[in-house]
Amino acid sequence: MRLAEGLVHFVKSVYASTMLFGVIPFKQNPLWSLSPMLAPMAFLLFLSVYGIREIVPYALIGGMTSIVVANSITMESDAAFNRLILKIESMFVLTRGGLIPYAVGLALGNLINALPGMLVFGALLWTLAGVNQLWSWAVFLGALAATWAIVSMVGYYISTFARDIRDLWVYSPIFTGVFSYLPPVFYPLERIPWTELKYFAYVSPTTAPARLMQAAAGLVSITWTEALLLWLLLLVHGSIVFVLLHRRLRRPI
Amino acid sequence: MGAAVESEDLWKTYDGQNWVLKGATLTVNEGEVFALLGRNGAGKTTFIRIACTLLKPSRGTVRVLGRDVIADAGWIRRRIAVVPQEGRPSNLSTPWAHVYYYLIARGMPRSEAARRASEYLEAMELWEVKDVICGNLSGGMRQRVYVAMAMATEADVLFLDEPTIGLDPISKTTMWSQIRRASEEGRTVIVTTHNMEEAETISDRVSIINAGRIVVTGSVEEVMSAVEYDYRVDVEGMADPQELNAYGPVRRIGDRFRVLTTASGARELAEVAVERGWRVNVSKTSLEDAFILLAGGHVEDEAR
Ligand SMILES: Nc1ncnc2c1ncn2[C@@H]1O[C@H](COP(=O)(O)OP(=O)(O)OP(=O)(O)O)[C@@H](O)[C@H]1O
Ligand SMILES: [Mg+2]
Protein backbone atom coordinates (compact mmCIF):
# COMPACT_ATOMS: atom_id res chain seq x y z
CA MET A 1 0.00 0.00 0.00
CA ARG A 2 2.71 2.42 1.07
CA LEU A 3 4.79 1.18 -1.86
CA ALA A 4 2.00 1.77 -4.36
CA GLU A 5 1.41 5.23 -2.99
CA GLY A 6 5.11 6.00 -3.19
CA LEU A 7 5.23 4.75 -6.75
CA VAL A 8 2.28 6.88 -7.82
CA HIS A 9 3.92 9.86 -6.23
CA PHE A 10 7.22 9.09 -7.93
CA VAL A 11 5.54 8.96 -11.33
CA LYS A 12 3.72 12.23 -10.70
CA SER A 13 6.96 13.94 -9.66
CA VAL A 14 8.74 12.67 -12.76
CA TYR A 15 5.86 13.92 -14.87
CA ALA A 16 6.00 17.37 -13.23
CA SER A 17 9.73 17.68 -13.80
CA THR A 18 9.45 16.47 -17.42
CA MET A 19 6.74 19.00 -18.16
CA LEU A 20 8.49 21.92 -16.50
CA PHE A 21 12.00 21.27 -17.79
CA GLY A 22 11.34 19.29 -20.96
CA VAL A 23 8.00 19.60 -22.70
CA ILE A 24 7.28 23.29 -22.19
CA PRO A 25 10.81 24.47 -23.07
CA PHE A 26 10.85 22.12 -26.09
CA LYS A 27 7.81 23.89 -27.49
CA GLN A 28 9.83 27.09 -27.36
CA ASN A 29 12.65 25.70 -29.42
CA PRO A 30 12.04 22.48 -31.35
CA LEU A 31 15.23 23.13 -33.32
CA TRP A 32 17.19 21.81 -30.36
CA SER A 33 16.56 18.33 -31.61
CA LEU A 34 18.29 19.08 -34.90
CA SER A 35 21.88 19.64 -33.88
CA PRO A 36 22.66 16.22 -32.35
CA MET A 37 21.31 14.70 -35.57
CA LEU A 38 23.69 16.55 -37.84
CA ALA A 39 26.94 14.67 -37.33
CA PRO A 40 25.46 11.17 -37.83
CA MET A 41 23.49 12.49 -40.82
CA ALA A 42 26.66 13.83 -42.42
CA PHE A 43 28.28 10.48 -41.85
CA LEU A 44 25.40 8.74 -43.54
CA LEU A 45 25.57 11.12 -46.45
CA PHE A 46 29.26 10.35 -47.04
CA LEU A 47 28.64 6.64 -47.05
CA SER A 48 25.75 6.98 -49.46
CA VAL A 49 27.64 9.30 -51.77
CA TYR A 50 30.55 6.88 -51.94
CA GLY A 51 28.12 4.03 -52.39
CA ILE A 52 29.39 2.03 -49.43
CA ARG A 53 26.09 0.28 -48.97
CA GLU A 54 27.08 -2.52 -46.64
CA ILE A 55 28.12 -0.27 -43.80
CA VAL A 56 25.08 2.00 -43.92
CA PRO A 57 23.31 -0.07 -41.23
CA TYR A 58 26.29 0.48 -38.91
CA ALA A 59 26.04 4.19 -39.49
CA LEU A 60 22.33 4.06 -38.68
CA ILE A 61 22.80 2.17 -35.42
CA GLY A 62 25.75 4.34 -34.49
CA GLY A 63 23.73 7.40 -35.39
CA MET A 64 20.86 6.39 -33.13
CA THR A 65 23.26 5.75 -30.29
CA SER A 66 25.07 9.02 -30.73
CA ILE A 67 21.80 10.97 -30.84
CA VAL A 68 20.79 9.40 -27.54
CA VAL A 69 24.24 10.01 -26.06
CA ALA A 70 24.31 13.65 -27.18
CA ASN A 71 20.88 14.31 -25.72
CA SER A 72 21.61 12.49 -22.48
CA ILE A 73 25.00 13.92 -21.65
CA THR A 74 23.43 17.40 -21.75
CA MET A 75 22.02 16.41 -18.40
CA GLU A 76 25.36 17.60 -17.11
CA SER A 77 24.93 21.23 -18.14
CA ASP A 78 21.16 21.19 -17.50
CA ALA A 79 21.52 19.98 -13.94
CA ALA A 80 24.39 22.37 -13.26
CA PHE A 81 22.40 25.25 -14.71
CA ASN A 82 19.41 24.41 -12.55
CA ARG A 83 21.56 24.15 -9.47
CA LEU A 84 23.92 27.10 -9.95
CA ILE A 85 22.02 29.65 -11.98
CA LEU A 86 18.32 28.99 -11.42
CA LYS A 87 18.92 27.51 -7.97
CA ILE A 88 15.75 25.55 -8.57
CA GLU A 89 17.43 22.34 -7.45
CA SER A 90 17.25 23.60 -3.85
CA MET A 91 13.51 23.86 -4.28
CA PHE A 92 13.20 20.37 -5.72
CA VAL A 93 15.26 18.87 -2.91
CA LEU A 94 12.36 19.95 -0.74
CA THR A 95 9.85 17.67 -2.40
CA ARG A 96 8.66 14.33 -1.20
CA GLY A 97 10.63 12.34 -3.72
CA GLY A 98 13.69 14.58 -3.53
CA LEU A 99 16.15 14.80 -6.40
CA ILE A 100 15.71 11.41 -8.04
CA PRO A 101 12.32 11.98 -9.69
CA TYR A 102 13.45 15.52 -10.49
CA ALA A 103 16.51 14.12 -12.27
CA VAL A 104 14.56 11.40 -14.08
CA GLY A 105 12.19 14.12 -15.29
CA LEU A 106 15.09 16.22 -16.55
CA ALA A 107 16.53 13.23 -18.37
CA LEU A 108 13.16 12.36 -19.89
CA GLY A 109 12.85 15.94 -21.01
CA ASN A 110 16.14 15.57 -22.85
CA LEU A 111 14.87 12.42 -24.48
CA ILE A 112 12.13 14.50 -26.09
CA ASN A 113 14.84 16.30 -28.03
CA ALA A 114 16.23 12.97 -29.16
CA LEU A 115 12.89 11.67 -30.46
CA PRO A 116 12.81 13.34 -33.89
CA GLY A 117 16.31 12.09 -34.68
CA MET A 118 15.46 8.61 -33.44
CA LEU A 119 12.39 8.51 -35.62
CA VAL A 120 14.33 9.51 -38.71
CA PHE A 121 17.10 6.99 -38.08
CA GLY A 122 14.63 4.33 -37.04
CA ALA A 123 12.66 4.76 -40.24
CA LEU A 124 15.84 4.54 -42.32
CA LEU A 125 16.85 1.41 -40.45
CA TRP A 126 13.51 -0.14 -41.22
CA THR A 127 13.50 0.79 -44.91
CA LEU A 128 17.19 0.81 -45.90
CA ALA A 129 18.49 -1.93 -43.66
CA GLY A 130 15.33 -3.99 -43.59
CA VAL A 131 15.21 -4.37 -39.82
CA ASN A 132 11.56 -5.24 -39.33
CA GLN A 133 11.45 -7.95 -36.66
CA LEU A 134 9.60 -7.06 -33.50
CA TRP A 135 12.24 -8.62 -31.27
CA SER A 136 14.97 -6.59 -32.99
CA TRP A 137 13.14 -3.43 -32.13
CA ALA A 138 12.65 -4.60 -28.57
CA VAL A 139 16.42 -5.02 -28.29
CA PHE A 140 16.92 -1.58 -29.84
CA LEU A 141 14.56 0.01 -27.37
CA GLY A 142 16.12 -1.71 -24.41
CA ALA A 143 19.66 -0.91 -25.47
CA LEU A 144 18.89 2.74 -26.20
CA ALA A 145 16.97 3.12 -22.95
CA ALA A 146 19.95 1.73 -21.05
CA THR A 147 22.27 4.11 -22.90
CA TRP A 148 19.97 7.01 -22.04
CA ALA A 149 19.80 6.08 -18.37
CA ILE A 150 23.50 5.48 -17.89
CA VAL A 151 24.76 8.46 -19.86
CA SER A 152 22.22 10.74 -18.13
CA MET A 153 23.46 9.57 -14.76
CA VAL A 154 27.05 10.16 -15.85
CA GLY A 155 26.01 13.66 -16.91
CA TYR A 156 24.33 14.39 -13.62
CA TYR A 157 27.28 13.00 -11.72
CA ILE A 158 29.72 15.27 -13.54
CA SER A 159 27.44 18.26 -12.98
CA THR A 160 27.67 17.90 -9.23
CA PHE A 161 31.33 18.87 -9.36
CA ALA A 162 30.83 22.04 -11.36
CA ARG A 163 31.15 25.39 -9.67
CA ASP A 164 30.09 27.29 -12.74
CA ILE A 165 28.33 26.06 -15.84
CA ARG A 166 31.24 27.31 -17.89
CA ASP A 167 33.22 24.52 -16.24
CA LEU A 168 31.03 22.16 -18.21
CA TRP A 169 30.58 23.57 -21.67
CA VAL A 170 33.57 21.62 -22.92
CA TYR A 171 32.45 18.26 -21.62
CA SER A 172 29.30 17.56 -23.62
CA PRO A 173 31.04 17.43 -27.02
CA ILE A 174 33.95 15.49 -25.52
CA PHE A 175 31.71 12.87 -23.98
CA THR A 176 29.58 12.61 -27.09
CA GLY A 177 32.77 11.91 -29.00
CA VAL A 178 34.25 9.53 -26.46
CA PHE A 179 31.04 7.55 -26.01
CA SER A 180 29.86 7.58 -29.63
CA TYR A 181 32.78 7.69 -32.01
CA LEU A 182 35.73 6.02 -30.28
CA PRO A 183 34.20 2.75 -29.00
CA PRO A 184 32.71 0.21 -31.45
CA VAL A 185 29.42 2.00 -31.92
CA PHE A 186 29.70 2.86 -35.60
CA TYR A 187 31.76 -0.27 -36.34
CA PRO A 188 31.87 -3.85 -35.06
CA LEU A 189 34.01 -4.88 -32.11
CA GLU A 190 35.77 -7.41 -34.36
CA ARG A 191 37.46 -4.57 -36.19
CA ILE A 192 39.50 -3.68 -33.13
CA PRO A 193 42.93 -5.14 -33.83
CA TRP A 194 44.18 -5.99 -30.32
CA THR A 195 42.40 -8.20 -27.80
CA GLU A 196 43.33 -5.97 -24.85
CA LEU A 197 41.81 -3.01 -26.62
CA LYS A 198 38.64 -5.02 -27.24
CA TYR A 199 38.20 -5.51 -23.53
CA PHE A 200 39.07 -1.91 -22.90
CA ALA A 201 36.26 -0.87 -25.24
CA TYR A 202 33.78 -2.28 -22.73
CA VAL A 203 34.68 0.51 -20.34
CA SER A 204 32.44 2.71 -22.45
CA PRO A 205 28.77 2.20 -21.57
CA THR A 206 27.89 2.46 -25.26
CA THR A 207 29.87 -0.57 -26.40
CA ALA A 208 27.46 -3.19 -25.07
CA PRO A 209 24.24 -1.57 -26.32
CA ALA A 210 25.74 -0.96 -29.75
CA ARG A 211 26.87 -4.57 -30.03
CA LEU A 212 23.45 -5.80 -28.96
CA MET A 213 21.82 -3.61 -31.59
CA GLN A 214 24.27 -4.70 -34.29
CA ALA A 215 23.42 -8.30 -33.43
CA ALA A 216 19.69 -7.58 -33.43
CA ALA A 217 20.05 -6.05 -36.89
CA GLY A 218 21.89 -9.17 -38.07
CA LEU A 219 25.18 -7.34 -38.68
CA VAL A 220 27.24 -9.38 -36.24
CA SER A 221 26.47 -12.75 -34.74
CA ILE A 222 26.76 -13.30 -31.02
CA THR A 223 25.96 -16.27 -28.83
CA TRP A 224 23.16 -16.27 -26.25
CA THR A 225 25.82 -16.30 -23.57
CA GLU A 226 27.45 -13.20 -24.96
CA ALA A 227 24.08 -11.47 -25.23
CA LEU A 228 23.36 -12.27 -21.62
CA LEU A 229 26.79 -11.03 -20.57
CA LEU A 230 26.26 -7.80 -22.49
CA TRP A 231 22.98 -7.12 -20.70
CA LEU A 232 24.67 -7.95 -17.41
CA LEU A 233 27.46 -5.55 -18.24
CA LEU A 234 24.88 -2.82 -18.80
CA LEU A 235 23.40 -3.60 -15.43
CA VAL A 236 26.83 -3.35 -13.85
CA HIS A 237 27.55 -0.05 -15.59
CA GLY A 238 24.21 1.33 -14.48
CA SER A 239 24.66 0.16 -10.90
CA ILE A 240 28.11 1.66 -10.57
CA VAL A 241 27.05 5.05 -11.86
CA PHE A 242 23.87 4.95 -9.78
CA VAL A 243 25.76 4.26 -6.58
CA LEU A 244 28.31 7.00 -7.31
CA LEU A 245 25.58 9.47 -8.16
CA HIS A 246 23.43 8.56 -5.19
CA ARG A 247 26.33 9.09 -2.83
CA ARG A 248 27.01 12.47 -4.40
CA LEU A 249 23.38 13.56 -4.19
CA ARG A 250 22.88 12.43 -0.62
CA ARG A 251 25.56 14.81 0.53
CA PRO A 252 24.37 17.90 2.12
CA ILE A 253 27.77 19.51 1.94
CA MET B 1 3.45 27.89 20.80
CA GLY B 2 6.37 25.63 19.88
CA ALA B 3 9.56 26.46 18.08
CA ALA B 4 9.64 26.35 14.29
CA VAL B 5 13.41 26.60 14.12
CA GLU B 6 15.85 26.16 16.95
CA SER B 7 19.56 26.40 16.49
CA GLU B 8 21.95 25.69 19.29
CA ASP B 9 25.59 26.64 19.19
CA LEU B 10 25.69 26.27 15.43
CA TRP B 11 29.08 26.37 13.77
CA LYS B 12 29.80 26.09 10.08
CA THR B 13 32.91 26.06 7.97
CA TYR B 14 32.99 25.35 4.25
CA ASP B 15 36.70 24.75 3.95
CA GLY B 16 37.69 23.50 7.40
CA GLN B 17 39.50 26.72 8.21
CA ASN B 18 37.28 29.75 8.08
CA TRP B 19 34.28 29.76 10.38
CA VAL B 20 31.25 31.26 8.74
CA LEU B 21 28.89 30.60 11.65
CA LYS B 22 30.36 30.80 15.11
CA GLY B 23 28.02 29.44 17.71
CA ALA B 24 24.74 30.85 16.41
CA THR B 25 21.92 30.17 18.85
CA LEU B 26 18.41 31.34 18.12
CA THR B 27 14.80 30.26 18.26
CA VAL B 28 12.08 31.13 15.78
CA ASN B 29 8.59 30.63 17.18
CA GLU B 30 5.88 28.92 15.23
CA GLY B 31 3.65 31.30 13.33
CA GLU B 32 5.89 34.34 13.48
CA VAL B 33 7.61 36.34 10.80
CA PHE B 34 11.26 36.34 11.70
CA ALA B 35 13.82 38.53 9.96
CA LEU B 36 17.47 37.57 9.86
CA LEU B 37 19.55 40.69 9.39
CA GLY B 38 23.24 41.10 8.87
CA ARG B 39 25.86 42.50 6.55
CA ASN B 40 26.95 40.81 3.34
CA GLY B 41 28.79 37.66 4.27
CA ALA B 42 27.47 37.61 7.83
CA GLY B 43 26.15 34.06 7.38
CA LYS B 44 22.41 34.50 6.77
CA THR B 45 22.20 32.33 3.67
CA THR B 46 24.43 29.73 5.29
CA PHE B 47 22.10 29.61 8.28
CA ILE B 48 19.05 29.25 6.07
CA ARG B 49 20.59 26.52 3.96
CA ILE B 50 21.43 24.54 7.07
CA ALA B 51 17.92 24.94 8.45
CA CYS B 52 16.55 23.82 5.06
CA THR B 53 18.61 20.60 5.26
CA LEU B 54 20.58 21.68 2.19
CA LEU B 55 23.83 22.11 4.07
CA LYS B 56 25.33 20.22 6.97
CA PRO B 57 26.19 21.95 10.22
CA SER B 58 29.85 21.54 11.19
CA ARG B 59 29.01 21.64 14.90
CA GLY B 60 25.92 22.22 16.98
CA THR B 61 22.32 21.30 16.26
CA VAL B 62 19.41 22.74 14.36
CA ARG B 63 15.86 21.53 14.82
CA VAL B 64 12.99 22.41 12.54
CA LEU B 65 9.50 21.79 13.92
CA GLY B 66 11.18 19.86 16.68
CA ARG B 67 13.13 17.48 14.43
CA ASP B 68 16.84 17.35 13.80
CA VAL B 69 17.95 18.61 10.38
CA ILE B 70 20.34 15.71 9.90
CA ALA B 71 18.45 12.80 11.38
CA ASP B 72 15.01 13.80 10.10
CA ALA B 73 15.85 15.67 6.91
CA GLY B 74 13.21 13.79 4.93
CA TRP B 75 10.45 14.58 7.39
CA ILE B 76 11.43 18.24 7.52
CA ARG B 77 11.71 18.64 3.76
CA ARG B 78 8.04 17.94 3.24
CA ARG B 79 7.08 20.67 5.66
CA ILE B 80 9.26 23.54 4.53
CA ALA B 81 9.79 25.55 1.37
CA VAL B 82 12.58 27.88 0.36
CA VAL B 83 13.15 30.78 -1.99
CA PRO B 84 16.90 30.65 -2.60
CA GLN B 85 18.83 33.89 -2.79
CA GLU B 86 19.27 35.13 -6.36
CA GLY B 87 17.43 32.24 -7.93
CA ARG B 88 15.35 32.73 -11.01
CA PRO B 89 12.84 30.64 -12.92
CA SER B 90 13.66 29.01 -16.23
CA ASN B 91 13.40 31.48 -19.11
CA LEU B 92 11.77 28.85 -21.30
CA SER B 93 8.92 27.96 -18.99
CA THR B 94 5.94 29.96 -17.75
CA PRO B 95 5.01 31.17 -14.26
CA TRP B 96 2.02 28.85 -14.30
CA ALA B 97 4.17 25.82 -15.17
CA HIS B 98 6.63 26.65 -12.42
CA VAL B 99 4.06 26.95 -9.68
CA TYR B 100 1.67 24.21 -10.81
CA TYR B 101 4.27 21.54 -11.56
CA TYR B 102 6.22 22.35 -8.44
CA LEU B 103 3.11 21.70 -6.39
CA ILE B 104 2.55 18.42 -8.24
CA ALA B 105 6.15 17.43 -7.50
CA ARG B 106 5.50 18.20 -3.86
CA GLY B 107 2.69 15.69 -3.91
CA MET B 108 -0.34 17.93 -4.13
CA PRO B 109 -3.39 16.54 -5.94
CA ARG B 110 -3.96 18.14 -9.35
CA SER B 111 -7.11 20.06 -8.56
CA GLU B 112 -5.68 21.53 -5.40
CA ALA B 113 -2.43 22.34 -7.18
CA ALA B 114 -4.36 24.19 -9.88
CA ARG B 115 -6.40 26.06 -7.30
CA ARG B 116 -3.42 27.10 -5.22
CA ALA B 117 -1.33 27.97 -8.28
CA SER B 118 -4.07 30.35 -9.43
CA GLU B 119 -4.49 31.78 -5.97
CA TYR B 120 -0.83 32.56 -5.43
CA LEU B 121 -0.10 33.75 -8.96
CA GLU B 122 -2.96 36.16 -8.42
CA ALA B 123 -1.64 37.16 -5.01
CA MET B 124 1.82 37.81 -6.46
CA GLU B 125 0.24 39.85 -9.27
CA LEU B 126 1.40 37.43 -11.93
CA TRP B 127 -1.98 36.25 -13.16
CA GLU B 128 -1.90 38.34 -16.35
CA VAL B 129 1.48 36.93 -17.32
CA LYS B 130 0.97 33.39 -16.12
CA ASP B 131 1.38 31.95 -19.63
CA VAL B 132 4.20 34.20 -20.78
CA ILE B 133 7.61 32.50 -20.73
CA CYS B 134 9.74 33.83 -17.89
CA GLY B 135 12.42 35.04 -20.31
CA ASN B 136 9.94 37.70 -21.39
CA LEU B 137 9.18 38.86 -17.86
CA SER B 138 10.91 41.61 -15.93
CA GLY B 139 13.42 40.80 -13.21
CA GLY B 140 11.01 41.61 -10.40
CA MET B 141 8.29 39.45 -11.93
CA ARG B 142 10.69 36.51 -12.13
CA GLN B 143 11.59 37.01 -8.51
CA ARG B 144 7.91 36.84 -7.64
CA VAL B 145 7.49 33.56 -9.52
CA TYR B 146 9.81 31.88 -7.01
CA VAL B 147 8.02 33.40 -4.06
CA ALA B 148 4.70 32.21 -5.50
CA MET B 149 6.16 28.70 -5.89
CA ALA B 150 7.23 28.54 -2.26
CA MET B 151 4.14 30.18 -0.82
CA ALA B 152 1.71 28.07 -2.80
CA THR B 153 3.07 24.89 -1.21
CA GLU B 154 1.55 23.37 1.88
CA ALA B 155 4.77 24.11 3.81
CA ASP B 156 4.45 25.15 7.44
CA VAL B 157 7.78 26.93 7.47
CA LEU B 158 8.85 29.24 4.66
CA PHE B 159 12.43 30.39 4.21
CA LEU B 160 12.66 33.44 2.00
CA ASP B 161 16.23 34.56 1.29
CA GLU B 162 15.98 38.19 0.19
CA PRO B 163 12.53 37.83 -1.43
CA THR B 164 11.98 41.51 -2.14
CA ILE B 165 15.27 42.22 -3.87
CA GLY B 166 14.62 44.16 -7.07
CA LEU B 167 10.92 44.71 -6.43
CA ASP B 168 9.26 48.05 -7.07
CA PRO B 169 7.72 49.78 -4.02
CA ILE B 170 4.20 48.61 -4.83
CA SER B 171 5.17 44.98 -5.44
CA LYS B 172 7.20 45.14 -2.28
CA THR B 173 4.22 46.10 -0.16
CA THR B 174 2.13 43.42 -1.86
CA MET B 175 4.81 40.91 -0.92
CA TRP B 176 4.81 42.21 2.64
CA SER B 177 1.06 41.67 2.91
CA GLN B 178 1.44 38.15 1.59
CA ILE B 179 4.14 37.39 4.13
CA ARG B 180 1.95 38.73 6.94
CA ARG B 181 -0.97 36.75 5.58
CA ALA B 182 1.08 33.55 5.69
CA SER B 183 1.83 34.23 9.31
CA GLU B 184 -1.84 34.89 10.07
CA GLU B 185 -2.60 31.50 8.56
CA GLY B 186 -0.26 30.01 11.13
CA ARG B 187 2.79 29.53 8.94
CA THR B 188 6.25 30.54 10.03
CA VAL B 189 8.22 32.80 7.73
CA ILE B 190 11.96 33.28 8.07
CA VAL B 191 13.11 36.06 5.83
CA THR B 192 16.44 37.73 5.21
CA THR B 193 16.61 41.29 4.01
CA HIS B 194 18.84 44.32 3.82
CA ASN B 195 15.80 46.56 3.89
CA MET B 196 15.30 47.75 7.46
CA GLU B 197 11.93 49.26 6.74
CA GLU B 198 10.83 45.85 5.55
CA ALA B 199 12.11 44.17 8.70
CA GLU B 200 10.33 46.74 10.87
CA THR B 201 7.11 46.40 8.92
CA ILE B 202 6.70 42.67 8.60
CA SER B 203 8.59 40.95 11.36
CA ASP B 204 7.47 39.93 14.80
CA ARG B 205 11.06 39.42 15.80
CA VAL B 206 14.47 39.91 14.25
CA SER B 207 17.99 38.67 14.79
CA ILE B 208 21.08 40.58 13.84
CA ILE B 209 23.95 38.35 12.86
CA ASN B 210 27.46 39.69 12.61
CA ALA B 211 30.34 37.62 11.26
CA GLY B 212 28.63 34.36 12.20
CA ARG B 213 27.51 35.39 15.65
CA ILE B 214 24.02 36.37 16.71
CA VAL B 215 24.40 39.82 18.22
CA VAL B 216 20.83 40.36 19.32
CA THR B 217 17.42 38.73 18.97
CA GLY B 218 14.05 40.20 19.85
CA SER B 219 11.18 42.35 18.68
CA VAL B 220 12.15 45.50 16.81
CA GLU B 221 11.54 47.52 20.01
CA GLU B 222 13.71 45.16 22.02
CA VAL B 223 16.51 45.33 19.50
CA MET B 224 16.33 49.09 19.48
CA SER B 225 16.40 49.25 23.25
CA ALA B 226 19.69 47.37 23.10
CA VAL B 227 21.06 50.63 21.74
CA GLU B 228 21.53 53.36 24.33
CA TYR B 229 20.69 56.21 21.95
CA ASP B 230 17.06 57.16 21.39
CA TYR B 231 17.58 59.95 18.90
CA ARG B 232 19.43 60.63 15.77
CA VAL B 233 20.38 64.09 14.68
CA ASP B 234 21.36 64.82 11.08
CA VAL B 235 23.48 67.95 10.80
CA GLU B 236 24.66 69.68 7.66
CA GLY B 237 26.75 72.79 7.07
CA MET B 238 29.08 72.86 10.07
CA ALA B 239 32.74 73.82 9.73
CA ASP B 240 34.24 71.27 12.08
CA PRO B 241 32.46 67.95 12.49
CA GLN B 242 34.88 66.94 15.23
CA GLU B 243 32.83 68.67 17.91
CA LEU B 244 29.87 66.37 17.14
CA ASN B 245 31.73 63.47 18.71
CA ALA B 246 30.87 64.78 22.15
CA TYR B 247 27.20 63.83 21.63
CA GLY B 248 27.58 60.23 20.53
CA PRO B 249 28.72 58.10 17.57
CA VAL B 250 28.95 60.08 14.33
CA ARG B 251 28.65 58.73 10.81
CA ARG B 252 29.11 60.57 7.58
CA ILE B 253 26.33 60.22 5.01
CA GLY B 254 27.23 62.22 1.93
CA ASP B 255 27.40 65.84 3.02
CA ARG B 256 25.54 65.19 6.24
CA PHE B 257 26.67 63.92 9.59
CA ARG B 258 24.42 61.59 11.54
CA VAL B 259 24.81 61.66 15.31
CA LEU B 260 23.18 59.04 17.53
CA THR B 261 22.50 60.52 20.91
CA THR B 262 20.27 60.66 23.98
CA ALA B 263 17.19 62.87 24.40
CA SER B 264 19.18 65.57 26.23
CA GLY B 265 22.00 65.31 23.71
CA ALA B 266 19.54 65.77 20.88
CA ARG B 267 17.98 68.83 22.51
CA GLU B 268 21.37 70.39 23.14
CA LEU B 269 22.73 69.64 19.69
CA ALA B 270 19.60 71.01 18.04
CA GLU B 271 19.97 74.28 19.95
CA VAL B 272 23.63 74.59 19.00
CA ALA B 273 22.77 73.89 15.41
CA VAL B 274 20.04 76.51 15.33
CA GLU B 275 22.38 79.07 16.92
CA ARG B 276 25.10 78.46 14.37
CA GLY B 277 22.79 78.22 11.40
CA TRP B 278 23.42 74.55 10.58
CA ARG B 279 20.70 72.61 8.95
CA VAL B 280 19.41 70.10 11.46
CA ASN B 281 16.92 67.25 11.56
CA VAL B 282 16.03 65.38 14.72
CA SER B 283 14.23 62.04 14.76
CA LYS B 284 13.90 58.88 16.79
CA THR B 285 16.45 56.20 16.03
CA SER B 286 15.26 53.52 13.64
CA LEU B 287 16.09 49.86 13.26
CA GLU B 288 18.60 50.91 10.64
CA ASP B 289 20.56 52.97 13.20
CA ALA B 290 20.51 50.05 15.61
CA PHE B 291 21.61 47.74 12.80
CA ILE B 292 24.56 49.93 11.90
CA LEU B 293 25.68 50.07 15.51
CA LEU B 294 25.21 46.37 16.18
CA ALA B 295 26.19 44.84 12.86
CA GLY B 296 28.61 47.51 11.77
CA GLY B 297 31.50 45.80 13.52
CA HIS B 298 34.27 44.41 11.43
CA VAL B 299 33.13 41.65 9.17
CA GLU B 300 36.23 39.54 9.46
CA ASP B 301 35.11 36.80 7.15
CA GLU B 302 33.88 39.03 4.43
CA ALA B 303 35.41 38.85 0.99
CA ARG B 304 37.27 35.66 1.31
N1 LIG C 1 29.95 27.59 -0.98
C1 LIG C 1 30.78 28.32 -0.21
N2 LIG C 1 32.07 27.98 -0.08
C2 LIG C 1 32.91 28.69 0.68
N3 LIG C 1 32.55 29.78 1.37
C3 LIG C 1 31.28 30.18 1.29
C4 LIG C 1 30.33 29.48 0.50
N4 LIG C 1 29.15 30.10 0.60
C5 LIG C 1 29.35 31.15 1.42
N5 LIG C 1 30.63 31.20 1.85
C6 LIG C 1 31.21 32.18 2.76
O1 LIG C 1 30.42 32.18 3.93
C7 LIG C 1 30.26 33.48 4.42
C8 LIG C 1 28.79 33.74 4.66
O2 LIG C 1 28.12 33.71 3.43
P1 LIG C 1 26.54 33.83 3.34
O3 LIG C 1 26.17 33.62 1.93
O4 LIG C 1 25.94 32.97 4.36
O5 LIG C 1 26.34 35.36 3.75
P2 LIG C 1 25.00 36.23 3.77
O6 LIG C 1 24.84 36.73 5.15
O7 LIG C 1 23.88 35.49 3.18
O8 LIG C 1 25.43 37.44 2.84
P3 LIG C 1 24.56 38.30 1.78
O9 LIG C 1 23.84 39.34 2.54
O10 LIG C 1 25.61 38.91 0.92
O11 LIG C 1 23.67 37.37 1.06
C9 LIG C 1 30.91 34.41 3.42
O12 LIG C 1 32.15 34.79 3.94
C10 LIG C 1 31.11 33.58 2.20
O13 LIG C 1 32.28 33.93 1.55
MG1 LIG D 1 22.74 35.66 1.55
Side-chain angles (χ1 to χ4, degrees), chain B residues 238-257:
Chain B
M238 83 287 295
D240 182 14
Q242 283 297 333
E243 55 187 297
L244 296 176
N245 287 328
Y247 298 94
V250 182
R251 199 160 47 92
R252 188 184 180 128
I253 305 171
D255 291 338
R256 277 178 298 143
F257 292 91

Side-chain angles (χ1 to χ4, degrees), chain A residues 127-209:
Chain A
T127 50
L128 293 186
V131 181
N132 50 17
Q133 301 285 317
L134 193 63
W135 72 270
S136 305
W137 285 97
V139 171
F140 278 30
L141 270 185
L144 290 172
T147 307
W148 162 75
I150 295 171
V151 176
S152 296
M153 287 194 285
V154 170
Y156 199 0
Y157 183 66
I158 300 168
S159 89
T160 63
F161 293 94
R163 302 171 61 175
D164 191 297
I165 41 160
R166 291 182 67 174
D167 275 349
L168 295 172
W169 286 343
V170 291
Y171 290 118
S172 286
I174 292 179
F175 272 99
T176 305
V178 167
F179 285 161
S180 312
Y181 300 112
L182 289 186
V185 167
F186 279 87
Y187 59 92
L189 186 77
E190 285 80 359
R191 288 288 172 120
I192 298 181
W194 305 288
T195 317
E196 293 79 8
L197 207 54
K198 276 183 191 164
Y199 287 115
F200 185 68
Y202 282 113
V203 172
S204 165
T206 45
T207 301

